[in-house]
Amino acid sequence: MDVYRAASVYIESIVGIQTELKGIEEFIDGEIGEIIVGKKRLPDTPPPRATVFQSMGNAIEDGVMANLIYQKFMKKWFWIKV
């Protein structure tokens, strides 16, 4: 639980948390889709706080999401076009 306390925690779906990830509800900052579409933002102050994406176990979805997060990170912090 210490990792969750020290990080911004995002999940795939609020619905999934109710059945699969009981016990971490208090640490959830939002759904990862909210970050991707710009509804929520990660902290801007460097160094950025650790961010945890708590997956529900769908490998294809995880790979796509990891790539999207990486691209957004590179554009924001290094101005690299990916």
Side-chain angles (χ1 to χ4, degrees):
M1 291 299 174
D2 289 342
V3 170
Y4 294 125
R5 280 189 192 91
S8 297
V9 181
Y10 294 89
I11 58 170
E12 291 172 290
S13 164
I14 294 296
V15 173
I17 193 87
Q18 296 167 349
T19 57
E20 295 186 38
L21 299 172
K22 286 200 176 278
I24 70 163
E25 297 93 338
E26 66 184 280
F27 305 110
I28 304 301
D29 292 299
E31 293 180 353
I32 196 71
E34 294 173 314
I35 299 296
I36 292 170
V37 300
K39 187 174 179 183
K40 287 190 176 185
R41 294 177 50 110
L42 295 174
D44 286 335
T45 55
R49 187 175 180 194
T51 301
V52 173
F53 170 56
Q54 181 60 58
S55 170
M56 308 291 220
N58 187 333
I60 284 278
E61 206 171 74
D62 296 347
V64 170
M65 195 61 60
N67 185 41
L68 290 171
I69 292 167
Y70 173 76
Q71 289 179 27
K72 281 184 116 16
F73 174 81
M74 294 303 284
K75 287 177 186 175
K76 178 174 181 170
W77 292 100
F78 298 103
W79 304 285
I80 295 173
K81 187 173 183 171
V82 288

